[in-house]
Amino acid sequence: MVYAFRFLKVAHPPCSILTVRAYHKLTCDTINPNVVKLQYAVRGPIVIRASELEKEISRGSSKLFDKIIRCNIGDCHASGQKPISFIREVLCAATNTRIMDTDIVPDDAKLRAKRFLDSCGGSVGVYSQSTGVEVVREDVAKYIEQRDHLPANPQNIFLSNGASEAVKSILQLISTGEDGCKRSGVMVPIPQYPLYSATNAEYNAYQIDYYLDESNGWGLSVEQLEEALEKCKDKCIPRALVVINPGNPTGQLLPKEAITNVLKFAYKHNLVVLADEVYQHNIYTPEMGFVSFKRALHDIGGRISTELQVASFMSSSKGFMGECGLRGGYCELLNFPEDVQQQLYKCLSARLCSTLLGQLTMDVVVNPPKPHEPSYNSFMKEKLSVLGELKQKAELTTKSLNSLPGFSCNPITGAMYAFPRIDLPKKAIETAKSKGMQPDFMYCLEFLEEYGVCVVPGSGFGQMPGTWHFRITILPSIEEMKLVMDRLKEFHSSFLIKYS
Amino acid sequence: MVYAFRFLKVAHPPCSILTVRAYHKLTCDTINPNVVKLQYAVRGPIVIRASELEKEISRGSSKLFDKIIRCNIGDCHASGQKPISFIREVLCAATNTRIMDTDIVPDDAKLRAKRFLDSCGGSVGVYSQSTGVEVVREDVAKYIEQRDHLPANPQNIFLSNGASEAVKSILQLISTGEDGCKRSGVMVPIPQYPLYSATNAEYNAYQIDYYLDESNGWGLSVEQLEEALEKCKDKCIPRALVVINPGNPTGQLLPKEAITNVLKFAYKHNLVVLADEVYQHNIYTPEMGFVSFKRALHDIGGRISTELQVASFMSSSKGFMGECGLRGGYCELLNFPEDVQQQLYKCLSARLCSTLLGQLTMDVVVNPPKPHEPSYNSFMKEKLSVLGELKQKAELTTKSLNSLPGFSCNPITGAMYAFPRIDLPKKAIETAKSKGMQPDFMYCLEFLEEYGVCVVPGSGFGQMPGTWHFRITILPSIEEMKLVMDRLKEFHSSFLIKYS
């Protein structure tokens, strides 16, 4: 009797008043299960604990540290990086047009503000087209043309609230909502930036993990991609492949050859490529430059270059600008049929438009001061200072991490993160498991509690089973990064003693 | 044989290589079907045609009008409304802190900018908490307390990119993704603002239409609600009820009694209430003030006031500020259990945060200059000027529309729209149908083509079958609104002659 009832419930319950009553309130049992499944480690329990500690310190609680150093999130300005003056000058002139009558901001900043306002109807308070203000999309197209020496069409570009919104809208477009073996499959690198796993959960896509090769500089191997795809072939219809270059959390710049191989693999298996290229300005290796997926695709030539569908994402939150809170971003679509673009743009129109000031920020990033303009020198000085310091910190961090016993870390060649591997003592692993924690979670938690440094455990990004990592940003100042490395050294040796 | 194959395909196709091949590209047949279903009339074909006409005019094409008057969208600044100076002064000081050292902006603006920056880490370029900067949420809570004379908790408030993002996140939370009779049902007024139908399509919720009573000032009748619910009881599990007050597109302020009745109805049927209150500043009737759903709920007392779940939405895009492009908004949750709130906030964290400058805009709206502050007088003057002109235009529009033969229009008592009913000649209806158009669509299209005024057909918002309407905004200047009414009068009589 009980079984029969249970079966009925699972298969198709009758829609009785009783069933309706059971839904009396929104509870965790009655809300969208995809929301419940969704996880986002960058803002997970360790980070929540860091905020609590900050409050304890401000209430006068005594600790061995006087502040929390946040190495958990790519939040440049929060880590002390100064905003690029020119970006703010343009924004402030566009926001309060009376500034135009003063000499507080330079003429080239006024010019950009005026051009933007002329194009959007005179106020940053208007709704733009759902895809974004036309001159910004034109400027983005020119930027891509200069970067890749290839034509770009503003019609294929849409602006978004940061890159995150654009990524979500493309994954939503690809996820058909079907279940069983017809579920959409999305290949995601492991380790990954958790926006991807969160969004796959949100839209009920089947996530196909593929491992990056840590022993080979977090490289991409086609064998690994084939193996991952093969394993899931009865579980979903693979539809898309995500690549993050430079890598998050791995801090790895991909060589052109690797990109070419991925594109060929995607074409062979009819996958749409999501190219997360938000760190394209964050390159720290003199031996290699950034090569876009678009450039690599073009250079393969033949049908693949005119058929393979690629969505490339860029943001104003990273690079030298680090304007996270302004929520500027864009996406370029390659080889998407016009009617599919129209469907996507229609879907974006229900949220009206992305923030106009985020759009304007993106505009300044793709259309910075030119050599003949008054702000050129100061702009370049600020830009190169930020990128130069990041390069120094990339080298410092790589070197310091590799000097610790049981640590190994690939060189940080791009982005703003390191993802070191740690050999944890057996006793630490057992202790963590007895507490119901992942061992790397326990490691990060103890580091936070004892030394006030907030990093995110590798389990939040995914890692090869049996290996342990954490992600650490290189955003704090050089002095603070040195302090972080000193604290880590001290913590790590006491941790090894504690669990030996 | 063919049938058998078709059946197999529909029921559960084998996941063969062939099936995978069929998904070669993203096409309209292979993308998320919910995206294809989604419609958003405010940016539909009539509006696209208006943009084309604007381009034709700018290229020198000769028309009977020299510009398109856009009465299709609640885009205040695009219609010539000036931004409130104080809002822009705060934003510009927060964006470019060097402004703080000048006397370009008044001290109370600097104070607000500084308080915001101190609370969020010193730059509008940081990520905030996913729910928004704490002081803003505190200020929102105080605003609600003053409005309703009831306590409000900042923990129950989250900030969003306009109200749209908040509405979408609540509807996503409620939509379980289940099919058949377990599908989540969402009751939506007809006529409605198409964000609701679009989002229900996006999350595959079953939309339960309930008609507003046009003959009774677009009132809400509980009989109508009961009838609508009864009709769908085998098709879904009703989970939520949307009410827009003041109404969009109806321009109708609800009396407290109607709100009380809706709340009791929702409680009886275990529905979460989505209270779209973004027009709470746009009130044009001296007889009646705005009563919030929160206030009405409290006044019912008893279990309903502590159990019924209500989400109330507010925006910086409407009211006297009209800052659409800055994307400020908030949502207050009433009687949501803490764990459900945590699930929602976790989901929001994957998009990191809403735009900081949108958050700051919302802050100024809920924390305007006080009588003792230097900007108080000019702020009040600008605010009352905008609201006073809107009131004049509400009266002008109501009167003009009702003077036209075959038009009837409820008085505009709130928001910024009229939704007049038009009796269309039989011949017009037949002609439209022969062209595959809705008759009100054809009416609006001819009005646009011949007189350059862009309004949106009632079919985009929903209407009682056999009735025809359009939505017109009252945002253009008084002079332009008079011109619009003159043009409409002329167009309407020629339309009647043409189709008599």
Side-chain angles (χ1 to χ4, degrees), chain A residues 9 13 15 19-21 23-28 30-33 35-40 43 55 73-75 77-78 83 85 88-89 91-92 94-96 98-99 102 104-105 123-130 134 161 164 168 172-176 178 181-182 193 195 198 202-203 233 237 239 267-270 272 306-307 309 317-318 322-327 335-337 339-340 343 346-347 349-357, chain B residues 9 13 15 19-21 23-28 30-33 35-36 38-40 43 55 73-75 77-78 83 85 88-89 91-92 94-96 98-99 102 104-105 123-130 134 161 164 168 172-176 178 181-182 193 195 198 202-203 233 237 239 267-270 272 306-307 309 317-318 322-327 335-337 339-340 343 346-347 349-357:
Chain A
K9 239 191 118 166
C15 282
T19 322
V20 176
R21 281 277 155 206
Y23 277 84
H24 182 64
K25 280 194 162 194
L26 283 184
T27 68
C28 287
T30 66
I31 60 174
N32 185 335
V35 170
V36 179
K37 267 190 306 180
L38 181 157
Q39 292 301 334
Y40 187 70
R43 301 239 167 156
K55 287 194 174 164
I73 189 167
D75 191 347
H77 295 185
S85 307
R88 298 307 187 88
E89 286 161 351
L91 291 179
C92 112
T95 307
N96 185 354
R98 275 188 295 166
I99 300 287
T102 71
I104 290 181
V105 304
S123 166
V124 296
V126 302
Y127 292 124
S128 71
Q129 291 179 47
S130 53
E134 208 157 349
N161 290 309
S164 304
K168 289 179 75 167
Q172 178 182 30
L173 190 72
I174 290 167
S175 305
T176 55
E178 296 197 72
C181 71
K182 288 187 83 175
Y193 173 52
L195 169 66
E202 189 173 345
Y203 294 117
K233 68 179 181 185
I237 298 182
R239 300 291 305 275
Y267 187 67
K268 176 179 167 195
H269 294 287
N270 311 303
V272 179
T306 56
E307 287 186 2
Q309 295 173 333
S317 307
K318 310 298 168 188
E323 292 284 9
C324 306
L326 298 178
R327 313 308 296 126
N335 300 325
F336 275 58
D339 55 355
V340 171
Q343 293 292 337
K346 180 190 67 178
C347 192
S349 77
R351 64 80 163 109
L352 293 158
C353 62
S354 65
T355 157
L356 275 267
L357 289 172
Chain B
K9 240 189 120 166
C15 282
T19 322
V20 176
R21 282 278 154 202
Y23 277 84
H24 182 63
K25 280 194 163 195
L26 284 184
T27 67
C28 287
T30 65
I31 60 174
N32 185 335
V35 170
V36 178
L38 181 158
Q39 292 301 332
Y40 187 71
R43 301 237 166 157
K55 287 195 175 164
I73 189 167
D75 191 347
H77 295 185
S85 306
R88 297 308 185 86
E89 284 160 354
L91 291 179
C92 113
T95 306
N96 186 354
R98 273 188 295 166
I99 301 286
T102 72
I104 290 181
V105 305
S123 166
V124 296
V126 302
Y127 292 123
S128 72
Q129 292 178 47
S130 53
E134 208 155 349
N161 291 309
S164 304
K168 289 179 74 167
Q172 179 183 29
L173 190 72
I174 291 167
S175 305
T176 55
E178 296 197 71
C181 70
K182 289 187 83 176
Y193 173 52
L195 169 66
E202 190 173 343
Y203 295 116
K233 68 177 183 187
I237 298 181
R239 300 292 304 275
Y267 186 67
K268 176 179 167 195
H269 294 287
N270 311 302
V272 179
T306 56
E307 287 186 1
Q309 295 173 333
S317 307
K318 310 298 170 188
E323 292 284 9
C324 307
L326 297 178
R327 312 308 295 126
N335 300 325
F336 275 58
D339 55 353
V340 171
Q343 292 292 339
K346 181 190 67 176
C347 192
S349 75
R351 63 86 162 105
L352 293 157
C353 62
S354 65
T355 155
L356 275 267
L357 290 173

Side-chain angles (χ1 to χ4, degrees), chain B residues 65-107:
Chain B
F65 42 87
D66 57 358
K67 67 174 247 191
I68 302 292
I69 303 181
R70 286 184 173 260
C71 295
N72 59 292
I73 189 167
D75 191 347
C76 311
H77 295 185
S79 307
Q81 183 182 312
K82 292 272 164 295
I84 299 290
S85 306
F86 188 71
I87 294 178
R88 297 308 185 86
E89 284 160 354
V90 176
L91 291 179
C92 113
T95 306
N96 186 354
T97 48
R98 273 188 295 166
I99 301 286
M100 305 270 199
D101 306 327
T102 72
D103 55 4
I104 290 181
V105 305
D107 286 347

Side-chain angles (χ1 to χ4, degrees), chain B residues 396-415:
Chain B
L396 163 79
T397 306
T398 305
K399 200 173 147 200
S400 305
L401 290 173
N402 281 314
S403 74
L404 299 177
F407 268 70
S408 63
C409 183
N410 278 308
I412 307 175
T413 51

Side-chain angles (χ1 to χ4, degrees), chain A residues 156 293-294 297 307-311 332-336:
Chain A
N156 300 336
F293 272 70
K294 180 174 182 170
L297 179 65
E307 287 186 2
L308 183 67
Q309 295 173 333
V310 176
E332 185 189 22
L333 303 170
L334 302 176
N335 300 325
F336 275 58

Side-chain angles (χ1 to χ4, degrees), chain A residues 116 119-120 127-138 154-155 157-160 329-330 345 348-349 351-356 359-360, chain B residues 43:
Chain A
F116 180 80
S119 153
C120 76
Y127 292 124
S128 71
Q129 291 179 47
S130 53
T131 49
V133 170
E134 208 157 349
V135 295
V136 181
R137 290 155 63 219
E138 285 165 8
Q155 299 304 318
I157 291 158
F158 69 91
L159 305 177
S160 54
Y330 78 74
Y345 294 168
L348 291 173
S349 77
R351 64 80 163 109
L352 293 158
C353 62
S354 65
T355 157
L356 275 267
Q359 296 186 26
L360 181 53
Chain B
R43 301 237 166 157

Side-chain angles (χ1 to χ4, degrees), chain B residues 191-217:
Chain B
Q192 55 119 14
Y193 173 52
L195 169 66
Y196 295 98
S197 51
T199 309
N200 285 333
E202 190 173 343
Y203 295 116
N204 196 32
Y206 183 92
Q207 182 162 314
I208 308 164
D209 295 342
Y210 68 90
Y211 288 103
L212 300 176
D213 184 0
E214 182 166 13
S215 64
N216 193 15

